[in-house]
Amino acid sequence: MKLRELAHSRTGDKGNISNISVIAHDPAQYPILEKYVTAAVVKEFFAEIVKGDVIRYTLPAIGALNFVLYSALGGGVTRTLSLDAHGKGLSSALMNLEIPLEE
């Protein structure tokens, strides 16, 4: 299944750093997100875009994960030639991540 079936997301930016929050639609599904949406998985998913580290923060009390992607915006808003200078499309793209079906 696609991640979008379990969660929605929001994105922010600061310089060359993108911040993506993944929030479970249903808090009962948060453990699935925590299990399968790791920093390594997100880094691999964005391998052609993110040149730096990806750090994941867990927020179980609100059923969310927060990812900080370093060197992810082509130098930042004032330097990149990207059409998505703020990286807003990254959260939408991440929603296409395949999540294994739980038994």
Side-chain angles (χ1 to χ4, degrees):
M1 83 175 71
K2 300 283 188 186
L3 180 56
R4 71 173 27 91
E5 296 176 46
L6 299 172
H8 63 280
S9 62
R10 301 281 298 169
T11 305
D13 69 281
K14 184 59 84 178
N16 197 23
I17 300 169
S18 182
N19 177 40
I20 302 175
S21 294
V22 176
I23 306 110
H25 294 307
D26 177 352
Q29 295 174 325
Y30 173 76
I32 298 170
L33 299 180
E34 193 172 33
K35 181 176 180 180
Y36 293 109
V37 189
T38 65
V41 167
V42 171
K43 179 150 176 80
E44 181 179 336
F45 187 82
F46 289 121
E48 294 183 20
I49 298 170
V50 177
K51 304 305 179 194
D53 292 334
V54 173
I55 298 173
R56 180 181 86 163
Y57 297 94
T58 58
L59 301 141
I62 60 171
L65 302 172
N66 186 56
F67 295 90
V68 179
L69 292 69
Y70 290 89
S71 298
L73 299 174
V77 173
T78 60
R79 303 181 106 182
T80 187
L81 297 177
S82 171
L83 293 175
D84 184 17
H86 294 276
K88 297 298 183 184
L90 296 178
S91 65
S92 182
L94 187 58
M95 293 295 99
N96 286 318
L97 180 70
E98 286 289 336
I99 303 296
L101 291 174
E102 291 276 304
E103 293 298 324

